[in-house]
Amino acid sequence: MARPLSRRTLFQAAALTATATAVSAAATGRAAATGRAAAPGAPAAASGVPAAWTVRPFQASDVTLGPGVFADKQRLMLDHARGYDVHRLLQVFRANAGLSTGGAVAPGGWEGLDGEANGNLRGHYTGHFLTMLAQAYFGTGEQLFADRIDTVVGALTEVREALRRGPRVLSVEGRFGRAAENVRGSHQYADLPSAVLGAAPALTLSTWVRPAHDAAWARIFDFGDDTTRYLYLAARNADGVPRFAVTTSGPGGEQGLDGTAPLPLGEWSHLAVTLADGTGTLYVNGTSVARSTGITLTPAALGPLAHHWLGRSHFPADPVFAGAFEDVNVFSRALTAAEIGALQSRRAADTPAGRGDLASYAFDETSGGTFADGSGRGLDATLRRTWGAPSHPGFLAAYPETQFIELESMTRSDYTRVWAPYYTAHKILRGLLDAHLATGDERALDLASGMCDWMYARLSALPAATLQRMWGLFSSGEFGGIAEAVCDLHAVTGRAEHLALARLFDLDRLIDACAANTDVLDGLHANQHIPIFTGLVRLHDETGEERYLTAAKNFWRMVVPHRMYAIGGTSSGEFWKARGVIAGTIGDTTAETCCAYNMLKLSRTLFFHEQDPAYMDYYERALYNQVLGSKRDAPDAEKPLVTYFIGLTPGHVRDYTPKQGTTCCEGTGMESATKYQDSVYFAKADGSALYVNLYSASRLTWAEKGVTVTQTTRYPQEQGSTLTVGGGPASFTLLLRVPSWATGGFRVTVNGRAVPGDPAPGSYFAVSRTWRAGDTVRISVPFRLRVERALDDPGLQALFLGPVNLVARAPGPDAVRFGLYGRAALSGDLLPALTPVPDKPLHYTLDGIELAPFSEGTEDPTHAYFRRREPRVVFGGSDSGVANPSRDDGTTLLDEIWAGAPFAGKGALVARVRSTVDAWVSAGLLGRADGDRVVRTAREATYVS
């Protein structure tokens, strides 16, 4: 039996079972990484999950996968979770906080400053990875995963503290001693007092620098008021070489000096500029590389200036200097060439020139946030961030808070400026919450709670109209499933402001439309909106507001089947098109993988409220096809190898390393592959019944009942499954899902005896008894080959054998064309048209083309849809010689005949042929003589049953 649960662990259980990452370890309250505890059994904790749920999931650690395709794919992802260097994920967080990145290289793609939209989504992938690690720990108990969680959470704790306290010196080895480094992405610079230049008639700027990036226009010095009056020294201009310029009339009036070669990255270089008597000279490593007698402007000519910066530009679009500084000196005279030459081997203090008399910074500091001035003028510099300090101590991100601030004033989408900051916050929050629930690490909970406190402080201060405008912006205003995550956190903390925060993400016009069952999805970004509805279901759980649940149910039915491709995916180019348009939206960028992930999550959550078998029919479709097929069948420590889009155009080849990696879909793909077991079994809230939703090799430990259920199957290679009960005795009803496609029969035996009843496709079949150890339930669910027609083009079809979408492996760009009726069985099964491939289960050939399961993660060109081609009327392999006529809507004579299947016998089929032919003859669609030949051929043909 489950151990008694405290209030804290009940809150945890609520959040755990509310998500795909239900976990046994959370209920123990143990410290991080101290070992794995026994599971308490989720359904037992009835008061620890939402009262609205009539069905409860099991914790992930209660269900383990057996041998089969799911275990094989999961094993590949677990190896990735073990092997990937998590310090690479942390690089962007540490950089943002001005901490040492330890030489780690950001993952690239969307995680890094050089990715799409300047890396404005960076940090999201770390959240996905944390969730994957948590799920991996839930499912395996392997200490390595807990240790990796501990590393990430510990680092993020340090990052938040660094963001709170402000910039601190990052001391590194320099040219002569110590130096100060500004990590790329830290947005840090040194702010010098305003008296630095004074009214000097002459000037020398001297510094050692070690650039870390080749960005143009990053400033070393920038002294000025704005973008009109200034002087600067840039490490690289647009041509990649150093540039000095001074002006009192903006860029057009610059008097400048340009170098002749780029400064090498990662190496120390000495730069110096001298100005005196109208002459300016630029030196690189002691050599004069540019000289001009037209530099008439001096500090005295500029007059008093407002800002004196090291590493920051007055032009907002320019990057902050990334790299290290050492021995910065400002002189009120022009040093000689010999004096500058002496600076190549010694610090200024040890040369005849001495330290700068206007300002001098050795950068020997190893702590604190200031740099001491050695000029004797007391002009100590202060280390600052361009974006200042967080608005709330709970702030945690891998980029500045400016992303969130700018969103509040945006009136149109521009993801190059602001790219879904609350979406990124959601991923980090979700990962932290899952980490806490997996390991009991209170630091993770504190970080998650702090993030919500910070978001509440920001968002609660905004007018409602501002929030509605923000959330309605494409991409920039995307917030993912943050309402769900905040509700799950509220279940742990019980804090009212956290629930209030979740409601601040209401997008009222969408909720109201869907609650009224008004379809407004045409033109909306699909994955921006799907997770909103999972959040609405959780808000219903927390508030009791029916509008939320009604909107979510109606929304689901607007997608399924009206915007669903055969594999279970949705979206075209990330967007939805008009209701019912399937063939008309197919392209290379259909079926974004994130959409399938979130539709599964929504289907699962809705099932907890309403046990409509359609939710689990959809779940099986998308899981066994798109989700499985989105993971490549190959090991890789560096990449998860998951698709972004799955193109459904003829001959499409799946791309398992999209957009240079680290996309949202690779993130959700990591999560999917570590929670394949999460919906195999559910229990009624009162413990009276066990739902078997999926036929998947697995073992359930139902602690509340004191039983185990072991499911042994090779499904879908095997057309059925065997359940064996361990433990007991225990009384409950076994509810076995009868798939909607199971028109060929569904039979159940218990201990070899047939269970009476007539299981209807698209239902659950109940078997009630007191179960004892050794009881065996055998489920037989014969597969039939069938086609599914595109809603807007019946001639475009997908081929299914049971739950499996069979794809044609052939090059494009033209669709393959198949005929299937010629050997159809009396049952309506089209399988006799196919030839099995020996020793390759679920592989067939048709007209010389191989057919294989969509779930196989290969790089073969595939056709998920084909063109139906039935040019003549053929029965049982006998050709009538009559062309197959069609109606205006594309329905053919054979379509209408076989729509009557299954047939009890040959006579029933012939009767259907005769009545259909008579109707078509009467309608003028078929000649009488041809009709008679059709009937005669049907009567004389031989059929399989």
Side-chain angles (χ1 to χ4, degrees):
M1 295 296 291
R3 70 188 67 184
L5 299 178
S6 66
R7 174 178 171 80
R8 172 181 174 273
T9 56
L10 283 176
F11 278 138
Q12 287 181 329
L16 288 168
T17 52
T19 69
T21 55
V23 56
S24 63
T28 69
R30 68 187 186 283
T34 58
R36 192 171 185 231
S47 60
V49 294
W53 290 4
T54 52
V55 163
R56 313 288 169 85
F58 287 90
Q59 297 175 11
S61 55
D62 292 337
V63 184
T64 56
L65 292 176
V69 62
F70 289 108
D72 292 343
K73 297 249 188 185
Q74 188 170 92
R75 189 177 305 113
L76 292 171
M77 195 62 79
L78 290 174
D79 285 344
H80 175 68
R82 294 183 185 102
Y84 192 80
D85 181 3
V86 295
H87 292 285
R88 295 187 64 191
L89 299 170
L90 295 165
Q91 194 270 355
V92 290
F93 286 91
R94 287 170 166 153
N96 187 49
L99 298 173
S100 172
T101 61
V105 178
W110 288 1
E111 283 294 319
L113 289 164
D114 298 316
E116 190 172 350
N118 304 311
N120 283 345
L121 213 65
R122 59 191 183 275
H124 82 112
Y125 203 69
T126 302
H128 285 298
F129 206 92
L130 262 179
T131 292
M132 174 177 66
L133 290 175
Q135 292 175 170
Y137 184 46
F138 303 159
T140 69
E142 190 175 325
Q143 186 62 33
L144 172 65
F145 297 125
D147 293 341
R148 308 201 93 200
I149 290 170
D150 181 67
T151 297
V152 175
V153 171
L156 294 180
T157 301
E158 294 174 1
V159 164
R160 187 179 68 174
E161 179 56 32
L163 290 169
R164 285 178 172 181
R165 72 171 182 247
R168 292 292 185 270
V169 173
L170 180 56
S171 181
V172 297
E173 184 177 352
R175 179 71 171 75
F176 304 109
R178 302 306 296 172
E181 182 175 23
N182 284 340
V183 176
R184 183 166 181 247
S186 66
H187 298 270
Q188 291 183 176
Y189 68 100
D191 188 9
L192 281 54
S194 59
V196 170
L197 291 183
L203 181 69
T204 295
L205 303 175
S206 170
T207 183
W208 283 93
V209 293
R210 185 176 65 192
H213 192 254
D214 60 0
W217 300 117
R219 302 296 200 265
I220 298 171
F221 296 93
D222 197 331
F223 300 159
D225 281 343
D226 46 35
T227 57
T228 301
R229 287 164 24 93
Y230 54 79
L231 69 83
Y232 68 78
L233 176 61
R236 289 175 181 247
N237 63 7
D239 296 321
V241 298
R243 174 174 173 78
F244 170 81
V246 57
T247 181
T248 57
S249 56
E254 286 185 359
Q255 299 174 4
L257 299 164
D258 292 306
T260 56
L263 300 182
L265 300 180
E267 297 180 17
W268 285 103
S269 297
H270 183 263
L271 293 177
V273 176
T274 62
L275 291 181
D277 303 323
T279 298
T281 307
L282 173 64
Y283 296 85
V284 177
N285 293 326
T287 300
S288 172
V289 297
R291 182 180 179 84
S292 172
T293 57
I295 309 293
T296 59
L297 295 174
T298 65
L302 290 176
L305 299 173
H307 306 124
H308 299 77
W309 294 333
L310 298 179
R312 181 180 181 181
S313 170
H314 279 86
F315 288 80
D318 290 343
V320 177
F321 178 79
F325 290 93
E326 185 180 9
D327 204 31
V328 171
N329 289 276
V330 183
F331 299 86
S332 62
R333 64 185 179 88
L335 298 188
T336 67
E339 288 175 313
I340 289 174
L343 294 174
Q344 306 311 298
S345 58
R346 290 170 288 170
R347 281 187 167 180
D350 300 324
T351 69
R355 303 189 76 160
D357 62 314
L358 293 180
S360 178
Y361 306 98
F363 292 107
D364 285 331
E365 292 82 1
T366 59
S367 63
T370 60
F371 300 111
D373 173 29
S375 70
R377 300 176 69 202
L379 301 180
D380 293 351
T382 303
L383 192 61
R384 302 191 190 281
R385 295 191 193 100
T386 59
W387 56 279
S391 64
H392 186 281
F395 174 74
L396 176 64
Y399 45 63
E401 195 175 2
T402 50
Q403 283 279 296
F404 300 89
I405 296 169
E406 284 191 58
L407 177 61
E408 293 168 9
S409 60
M410 290 179 69
T411 57
R412 64 176 60 185
S413 177
D414 181 356
Y415 88 124
T416 63
R417 275 182 58 208
V418 176
W419 189 8
Y422 285 97
Y423 172 93
T424 305
H426 162 238
K427 298 306 174 188
I428 299 167
L429 172 64
R430 179 79 264 169
L432 287 168
L433 181 57
D434 290 340
H436 167 67
L437 297 174
T439 67
D441 193 332
E442 293 296 332
R443 297 172 303 170
L445 178 61
D446 183 59
L447 289 169
S449 185
M451 286 186 71
C452 287
D453 293 343
W454 154 69
M455 285 188 278
Y456 182 70
R458 284 211 72 85
L459 297 177
S460 64
L462 297 176
T466 300
L467 294 174
Q468 295 301 313
R469 172 173 47 77
M470 286 165 55
W471 307 147
L473 289 174
F474 158 62
S475 193
S476 298
E478 183 174 355
F479 55 76
I482 198 165
E484 176 201 13
V486 176
C487 285
D488 291 347
L489 179 70
H490 174 254
V492 176
T493 67
R495 291 175 52 189
E497 58 268 35
H498 290 163
L499 181 57
L501 170 63
R503 301 192 75 158
L504 292 175
F505 290 97
D506 282 4
L507 180 55
D508 287 333
R509 69 171 183 267
L510 179 66
I511 298 171
D512 291 343
C514 290
N517 206 20
T518 302
D519 191 329
V520 294
L521 303 190
D522 187 6
L524 292 184
H525 182 251
N527 198 53
Q528 180 168 346
H529 295 88
I530 298 170
I532 290 176
F533 290 92
T534 308
L536 295 182
V537 179
R538 289 291 291 116
L539 272 167
H540 165 268
D541 298 339
E542 299 293 311
T543 67
E545 190 168 327
E546 285 298 326
R547 164 176 168 261
Y548 290 137
L549 183 60
T550 301
K553 289 179 180 179
N554 290 341
F555 163 79
W556 190 91
R557 289 172 175 83
M558 294 172 192
V559 176
V560 181
H562 305 291
R563 293 177 174 88
M564 180 192 76
Y565 299 109
I567 58 173
T570 187
S571 80
S572 177
E574 299 195 9
F575 288 82
W576 282 308
K577 307 302 182 184
R579 183 184 181 103
V581 179
I582 299 298
T585 62
I586 285 176
D588 288 332
T589 57
T590 39
E592 183 185 355
T593 305
C594 275
C595 293
Y597 164 90
N598 279 309
M599 282 299 296
L600 288 183
K601 202 172 202 183
L602 176 59
S603 302
R604 179 179 192 268
T605 306
L606 287 172
F607 192 88
F608 299 151
H609 294 265
E610 177 185 45
Q611 287 73 63
D612 185 343
Y615 294 135
M616 285 299 131
D617 274 341
Y618 172 81
Y619 201 99
E620 179 185 64
R621 175 193 294 269
L623 180 65
Y624 277 81
N625 293 291
Q626 175 161 0
V627 172
L628 274 181
S630 69
K631 172 72 184 86
R632 186 181 174 193
D633 298 330
D636 196 307
E638 287 300 304
K639 300 289 184 185
L641 300 182
V642 175
T643 59
Y644 191 103
F645 298 113
I646 293 185
L648 298 177
T649 50
H652 179 79
V653 176
R654 294 174 209 168
D655 180 2
Y656 298 100
T657 54
K659 296 178 178 281
Q660 296 80 52
T662 66
T663 64
C664 54
C665 291
E666 287 161 292
T668 54
M670 293 189 300
E671 295 183 35
S672 289
T674 48
K675 66 179 182 72
Y676 289 138
Q677 73 272 34
D678 77 341
S679 297
V680 177
Y681 308 100
F682 296 152
K684 277 200 171 181
D686 61 5
S688 65
L690 177 68
Y691 285 84
V692 180
N693 303 308
L694 300 173
Y695 299 112
S696 175
S698 55
R699 178 182 172 88
L700 165 69
T701 299
W702 192 359
E704 180 189 14
K705 290 293 186 179
V707 299
T708 62
V709 177
T710 301
Q711 188 172 175
T712 307
T713 182
R714 291 180 297 108
Y715 187 96
Q717 295 179 12
E718 176 185 354
Q719 299 183 19
S721 186
T722 300
L723 306 178
T724 304
V725 177
S731 297
F732 58 90
T733 298
L734 198 61
L735 293 170
L736 306 169
R737 188 175 66 88
V738 185
S740 59
W741 48 260
T743 58
F746 185 93
R747 296 180 295 278
V748 178
T749 64
V750 176
N751 300 329
R753 288 187 162 185
V755 178
D758 186 18
S763 69
Y764 278 84
F765 184 65
V767 182
S768 300
R769 62 183 280 133
T770 298
W771 300 92
R772 291 177 170 80
D775 282 349
T776 300
V777 180
R778 175 63 193 168
I779 301 138
S780 175
V781 50
F783 295 177
R784 285 180 175 171
L785 188 71
R786 69 188 190 281
V787 296
E788 291 189 0
R789 296 170 170 82
L791 298 177
D792 53 332
D793 184 351
L796 188 70
Q797 301 178 0
L799 201 59
F800 277 85
L801 181 61
V804 178
N805 174 218
L806 293 178
V807 297
R809 288 183 175 167
D814 297 325
V816 295
R817 296 178 177 270
F818 291 142
L820 297 165
Y821 287 136
R823 295 193 179 276
L826 292 172
S827 64
D829 190 356
L830 301 173
L831 191 58
L834 309 186
T835 301
V837 177
D839 301 319
K840 293 183 73 174
L842 298 177
H843 284 243
Y844 301 86
T845 60
L846 177 60
D847 297 339
I849 296 174
E850 183 181 17
L851 299 171
F854 186 97
S855 60
E856 293 184 355
T858 72
E859 294 180 294
D860 296 297
T862 62
H863 299 243
Y865 285 94
F866 67 96
R867 279 285 166 195
R868 192 64 174 269
R869 184 174 180 272
E870 305 278 359
R872 291 193 302 277
V873 178
V874 180
F875 294 104
S878 298
D879 191 340
S880 69
V882 176
N884 183 25
S886 63
R887 297 186 185 277
D888 290 341
D889 64 0
T891 302
T892 70
L893 175 68
L894 285 173
D895 289 335
E896 192 159 319
I897 290 169
W898 286 103
F903 299 107
K906 179 177 177 178
L909 169 61
V910 173
R912 173 77 176 191
V913 172
R914 184 179 293 108
S915 64
T916 305
V917 163
D918 288 346
W920 282 58
V921 169
S922 297
L925 299 171
L926 182 67
R928 173 50 66 185
D930 284 345
D932 290 343
R933 282 197 295 273
V934 168
V935 174
R936 184 166 58 253
T937 302
R939 186 171 56 247
E940 295 174 354
T942 302
Y943 305 90
V944 296
S945 58

